[in-house]
Amino acid sequence: MNEHCIANESLETTGFSYTLSLINGKYKMTILYTLMEFGVVRFNEMKKYISKISYKTLSSTLKELEADQLVNRKEYPQIPPKVEYSLTERGKSLIPILDGMCEWGDKNRL
């Protein structure tokens, strides 16, 4: 009989830990939620929507999400520069998780 014992396990090797490593950060979930709700969003629109985030933090967080292949960045060659962000297919696969969190929050809000 193969017994499942916590002493033999490591949190770092779980899918939960990997998922958390991708979405952990002060604004990552907020950015993903914004893109889920609004689809394609320009940088300044997102900054206005997430009013408390600094430009530097928004920029670096978007770069991290892009590096993790959760967010797509599309730059248009024009002046002034136009950049749009959207969820990649990989990012869209998080939508059921984000929806579940929204539903839970709506049901359990005090």
Side-chain angles (χ1 to χ4, degrees):
M1 181 172 170
N2 190 5
E3 190 172 314
H4 187 66
C5 177
I6 193 168
N8 301 327
E9 301 296 329
S10 173
L11 180 64
E12 290 83 23
T13 62
T14 64
F16 173 80
S17 182
Y18 176 72
T19 304
L20 193 59
S21 75
L22 294 177
I23 62 174
N24 194 22
K26 187 170 182 180
Y27 291 103
K28 283 186 177 181
M29 291 293 292
T30 305
I31 291 169
L32 292 169
Y33 172 80
T34 302
L35 294 172
M36 178 188 81
E37 283 293 307
F38 298 103
V40 177
V41 180
R42 293 179 68 179
F43 184 89
N44 284 330
E45 292 172 331
M46 193 172 308
K47 171 63 179 97
K48 287 178 187 172
Y49 185 71
I50 311 170
S51 58
K52 294 184 180 184
I53 193 170
S54 70
Y55 286 101
K56 181 179 179 181
T57 301
L58 178 57
S59 179
S60 64
T61 305
L62 283 165
K63 285 177 184 175
E64 289 175 18
L65 291 168
E66 185 181 6
D68 290 332
Q69 299 175 358
L70 298 175
V71 169
N72 182 50
R73 179 182 190 272
K74 185 173 182 181
E75 188 174 344
Y76 295 89
Q78 66 184 49
I79 297 176
K82 177 182 174 183
V83 179
E84 294 178 335
Y85 295 90
S86 60
L87 292 175
T88 62
E89 288 304 312
R90 187 174 192 215
K92 288 176 185 175
S93 70
L94 286 169
I95 288 176
I97 295 167
L98 297 173
D99 279 338
M101 291 176 69
C102 291
E103 290 173 20
W104 188 91
D106 288 340
K107 289 178 184 175
N108 292 281
R109 189 178 305 176
L110 299 176

